Amino acid sequence: QVQLVESGGGSVQAGGSLRLSCAVSGDISSRYFMGWFRQRPGREREGVAHINSDERTKYADTVKGRFTISRDNAKNILYLQMNGLEPEETAMYYCAAARGRCIVVGGCTYRYWGLGTQVTVSS
């Protein structure tokens, strides 16, 4: 039974930073692609970033240069460091795991999902 549990969300002022964590447990290979998604109010879920087993990363254009995805395979934790947050980035943030190769951020099928953590950015 694979479980992904996000944490680290909260409320922050515009321009502030948050670091999200995703604890991974169960029978899941470190070869899985790991991704972060977000769903803003009234909008569809969108891919934010992903990272492969060799720690190669890719980001959505909207967050490039401000967000950093990383993984600690020894501790089975996925991270998303978010800097320079903007009010429009208020959303539920989800971590997910995909089998196979992912090229486009958010563009492949993710098998496992966490329940999300709320991020609220105020002006």
mmCIF file of all heavy atoms in Angstrom, residues 32-50:
data_model
loop_
_atom_site.group_PDB
_atom_site.id
_atom_site.type_symbol
_atom_site.label_atom_id
_atom_site.label_comp_id
_atom_site.label_asym_id
_atom_site.label_seq_id
_atom_site.Cartn_x
_atom_site.Cartn_y
_atom_site.Cartn_z
ATOM 1 N N TYR A 32 10.733 5.693 -9.778
ATOM 2 C CA TYR A 32 9.535 6.444 -10.151
ATOM 3 C C TYR A 32 9.857 7.909 -10.344
ATOM 4 O O TYR A 32 10.657 8.492 -9.615
ATOM 5 C CB TYR A 32 8.473 6.319 -9.061
ATOM 6 C CG TYR A 32 7.544 5.141 -9.192
ATOM 7 C CD1 TYR A 32 8.024 3.840 -9.182
ATOM 8 C CD2 TYR A 32 6.176 5.344 -9.307
ATOM 9 C CE1 TYR A 32 7.167 2.767 -9.293
ATOM 10 C CE2 TYR A 32 5.312 4.271 -9.415
ATOM 11 C CZ TYR A 32 5.809 2.987 -9.413
ATOM 12 O OH TYR A 32 4.949 1.927 -9.510
ATOM 13 N N PHE A 33 9.230 8.503 -11.337
ATOM 14 C CA PHE A 33 9.201 9.953 -11.443
ATOM 15 C C PHE A 33 8.295 10.485 -10.346
ATOM 16 O O PHE A 33 7.222 9.944 -10.083
ATOM 17 C CB PHE A 33 8.665 10.390 -12.796
ATOM 18 C CG PHE A 33 9.686 10.440 -13.880
ATOM 19 C CD1 PHE A 33 10.236 9.283 -14.400
ATOM 20 C CD2 PHE A 33 10.101 11.665 -14.400
ATOM 21 C CE1 PHE A 33 11.174 9.328 -15.417
ATOM 22 C CE2 PHE A 33 11.034 11.720 -15.424
ATOM 23 C CZ PHE A 33 11.571 10.551 -15.929
ATOM 24 N N MET A 34 8.718 11.560 -9.716
ATOM 25 C CA MET A 34 7.917 12.217 -8.703
ATOM 26 C C MET A 34 7.565 13.619 -9.177
ATOM 27 O O MET A 34 8.404 14.305 -9.767
ATOM 28 C CB MET A 34 8.656 12.299 -7.368
ATOM 29 C CG MET A 34 9.071 10.954 -6.789
ATOM 30 S SD MET A 34 7.665 9.897 -6.351
ATOM 31 C CE MET A 34 6.837 10.910 -5.118
ATOM 32 N N GLY A 35 6.337 14.015 -8.919
ATOM 33 C CA GLY A 35 5.899 15.319 -9.374
ATOM 34 C C GLY A 35 5.115 16.082 -8.328
ATOM 35 O O GLY A 35 4.546 15.498 -7.407
ATOM 36 N N TRP A 36 5.119 17.391 -8.483
ATOM 37 C CA TRP A 36 4.268 18.271 -7.702
ATOM 38 C C TRP A 36 3.234 18.905 -8.621
ATOM 39 O O TRP A 36 3.558 19.344 -9.729
ATOM 40 C CB TRP A 36 5.070 19.376 -7.018
ATOM 41 C CG TRP A 36 5.825 18.923 -5.804
ATOM 42 C CD1 TRP A 36 7.146 18.602 -5.726
ATOM 43 C CD2 TRP A 36 5.298 18.753 -4.488
ATOM 44 N NE1 TRP A 36 7.487 18.234 -4.452
ATOM 45 C CE2 TRP A 36 6.362 18.322 -3.666
ATOM 46 C CE3 TRP A 36 4.031 18.923 -3.921
ATOM 47 C CZ2 TRP A 36 6.199 18.064 -2.303
ATOM 48 C CZ3 TRP A 36 3.872 18.656 -2.572
ATOM 49 C CH2 TRP A 36 4.941 18.238 -1.782
ATOM 50 N N PHE A 37 2.005 18.931 -8.144
ATOM 51 C CA PHE A 37 0.895 19.538 -8.853
ATOM 52 C C PHE A 37 0.220 20.553 -7.948
ATOM 53 O O PHE A 37 0.409 20.543 -6.733
ATOM 54 C CB PHE A 37 -0.132 18.487 -9.270
ATOM 55 C CG PHE A 37 0.353 17.518 -10.310
ATOM 56 C CD1 PHE A 37 1.192 16.470 -9.974
ATOM 57 C CD2 PHE A 37 -0.047 17.644 -11.638
ATOM 58 C CE1 PHE A 37 1.630 15.571 -10.925
ATOM 59 C CE2 PHE A 37 0.380 16.750 -12.599
ATOM 60 C CZ PHE A 37 1.223 15.717 -12.246
ATOM 61 N N ARG A 38 -0.570 21.405 -8.538
ATOM 62 C CA ARG A 38 -1.394 22.302 -7.745
ATOM 63 C C ARG A 38 -2.735 22.507 -8.440
ATOM 64 O O ARG A 38 -2.851 22.372 -9.657
ATOM 65 C CB ARG A 38 -0.714 23.653 -7.511
ATOM 66 C CG ARG A 38 -0.503 24.489 -8.757
ATOM 67 C CD ARG A 38 0.323 25.714 -8.420
ATOM 68 N NE ARG A 38 0.596 26.534 -9.590
ATOM 69 C CZ ARG A 38 1.467 27.523 -9.621
ATOM 70 N NH1 ARG A 38 2.174 27.825 -8.527
ATOM 71 N NH2 ARG A 38 1.643 28.226 -10.739
ATOM 72 N N GLN A 39 -3.737 22.815 -7.637
ATOM 73 C CA GLN A 39 -5.050 23.119 -8.159
ATOM 74 C C GLN A 39 -5.535 24.411 -7.503
ATOM 75 O O GLN A 39 -5.829 24.439 -6.307
ATOM 76 C CB GLN A 39 -6.046 21.992 -7.904
ATOM 77 C CG GLN A 39 -7.382 22.204 -8.588
ATOM 78 C CD GLN A 39 -8.227 20.952 -8.622
ATOM 79 O OE1 GLN A 39 -7.981 19.996 -7.885
ATOM 80 N NE2 GLN A 39 -9.227 20.952 -9.482
ATOM 81 N N ARG A 40 -5.595 25.460 -8.295
ATOM 82 C CA ARG A 40 -6.053 26.737 -7.821
ATOM 83 C C ARG A 40 -7.570 26.779 -7.830
ATOM 84 O O ARG A 40 -8.209 26.055 -8.599
ATOM 85 C CB ARG A 40 -5.465 27.858 -8.681
ATOM 86 C CG ARG A 40 -3.949 27.992 -8.545
ATOM 87 C CD ARG A 40 -3.392 29.090 -9.434
ATOM 88 N NE ARG A 40 -3.303 28.681 -10.824
ATOM 89 C CZ ARG A 40 -2.906 29.479 -11.815
ATOM 90 N NH1 ARG A 40 -2.596 30.741 -11.556
ATOM 91 N NH2 ARG A 40 -2.833 29.015 -13.049
ATOM 92 N N PRO A 41 -8.172 27.590 -6.993
ATOM 93 C CA PRO A 41 -9.634 27.636 -6.911
ATOM 94 C C PRO A 41 -10.278 27.893 -8.268
ATOM 95 O O PRO A 41 -9.912 28.838 -8.971
ATOM 96 C CB PRO A 41 -9.893 28.798 -5.951
ATOM 97 C CG PRO A 41 -8.671 28.858 -5.091
ATOM 98 C CD PRO A 41 -7.536 28.499 -6.015
ATOM 99 N N GLY A 42 -11.214 27.037 -8.620
ATOM 100 C CA GLY A 42 -11.936 27.197 -9.866
ATOM 101 C C GLY A 42 -11.166 26.821 -11.109
ATOM 102 O O GLY A 42 -11.656 27.047 -12.223
ATOM 103 N N ARG A 43 -9.988 26.252 -10.950
ATOM 104 C CA ARG A 43 -9.156 25.891 -12.094
ATOM 105 C C ARG A 43 -8.838 24.404 -12.083
ATOM 106 O O ARG A 43 -8.998 23.719 -11.076
ATOM 107 C CB ARG A 43 -7.850 26.693 -12.086
ATOM 108 C CG ARG A 43 -8.037 28.195 -12.222
ATOM 109 C CD ARG A 43 -6.731 28.914 -12.024
ATOM 110 N NE ARG A 43 -6.864 30.354 -12.151
ATOM 111 C CZ ARG A 43 -6.574 31.038 -13.249
ATOM 112 N NH1 ARG A 43 -6.113 30.416 -14.326
ATOM 113 N NH2 ARG A 43 -6.739 32.358 -13.275
ATOM 114 N N GLU A 44 -8.371 23.917 -13.217
ATOM 115 C CA GLU A 44 -7.960 22.530 -13.317
ATOM 116 C C GLU A 44 -6.593 22.330 -12.669
ATOM 117 O O GLU A 44 -5.803 23.264 -12.533
ATOM 118 C CB GLU A 44 -7.911 22.092 -14.781
ATOM 119 C CG GLU A 44 -9.262 22.090 -15.475
ATOM 120 C CD GLU A 44 -9.174 21.600 -16.901
ATOM 121 O OE1 GLU A 44 -8.050 21.395 -17.399
ATOM 122 O OE2 GLU A 44 -10.229 21.410 -17.517
ATOM 123 N N ARG A 45 -6.338 21.104 -12.284
ATOM 124 C CA ARG A 45 -5.046 20.760 -11.723
ATOM 125 C C ARG A 45 -3.952 20.932 -12.768
ATOM 126 O O ARG A 45 -4.138 20.592 -13.938
ATOM 127 C CB ARG A 45 -5.077 19.317 -11.219
ATOM 128 C CG ARG A 45 -3.834 18.862 -10.498
ATOM 129 C CD ARG A 45 -4.020 17.441 -9.996
ATOM 130 N NE ARG A 45 -4.281 16.532 -11.094
ATOM 131 C CZ ARG A 45 -4.866 15.349 -10.966
ATOM 132 N NH1 ARG A 45 -5.284 14.945 -9.772
ATOM 133 N NH2 ARG A 45 -5.048 14.588 -12.029
ATOM 134 N N GLU A 46 -2.812 21.442 -12.353
ATOM 135 C CA GLU A 46 -1.703 21.684 -13.258
ATOM 136 C C GLU A 46 -0.399 21.150 -12.680
ATOM 137 O O GLU A 46 -0.179 21.153 -11.471
ATOM 138 C CB GLU A 46 -1.571 23.185 -13.538
ATOM 139 C CG GLU A 46 -1.290 24.014 -12.305
ATOM 140 C CD GLU A 46 -1.278 25.501 -12.573
ATOM 141 O OE1 GLU A 46 -0.607 25.928 -13.537
ATOM 142 O OE2 GLU A 46 -1.952 26.239 -11.821
ATOM 143 N N GLY A 47 0.472 20.714 -13.565
ATOM 144 C CA GLY A 47 1.779 20.266 -13.149
ATOM 145 C C GLY A 47 2.680 21.436 -12.805
ATOM 146 O O GLY A 47 2.676 22.461 -13.492
ATOM 147 N N VAL A 48 3.448 21.285 -11.750
ATOM 148 C CA VAL A 48 4.363 22.317 -11.292
ATOM 149 C C VAL A 48 5.809 21.954 -11.601
ATOM 150 O O VAL A 48 6.569 22.766 -12.135
ATOM 151 C CB VAL A 48 4.191 22.569 -9.786
ATOM 152 C CG1 VAL A 48 5.241 23.547 -9.274
ATOM 153 C CG2 VAL A 48 2.792 23.087 -9.496
ATOM 154 N N ALA A 49 6.200 20.738 -11.261
ATOM 155 C CA ALA A 49 7.569 20.291 -11.464
ATOM 156 C C ALA A 49 7.627 18.777 -11.344
ATOM 157 O O ALA A 49 6.750 18.160 -10.742
ATOM 158 C CB ALA A 49 8.505 20.925 -10.433
ATOM 159 N N HIS A 50 8.661 18.176 -11.914
ATOM 160 C CA HIS A 50 8.902 16.757 -11.683
ATOM 161 C C HIS A 50 10.394 16.489 -11.578
ATOM 162 O O HIS A 50 11.228 17.312 -11.976
ATOM 163 C CB HIS A 50 8.231 15.868 -12.740
ATOM 164 C CG HIS A 50 8.835 15.911 -14.123
ATOM 165 N ND1 HIS A 50 8.048 15.992 -15.253
ATOM 166 C CD2 HIS A 50 10.112 15.848 -14.572
ATOM 167 C CE1 HIS A 50 8.824 15.986 -16.323
ATOM 168 N NE2 HIS A 50 10.082 15.904 -15.937
#
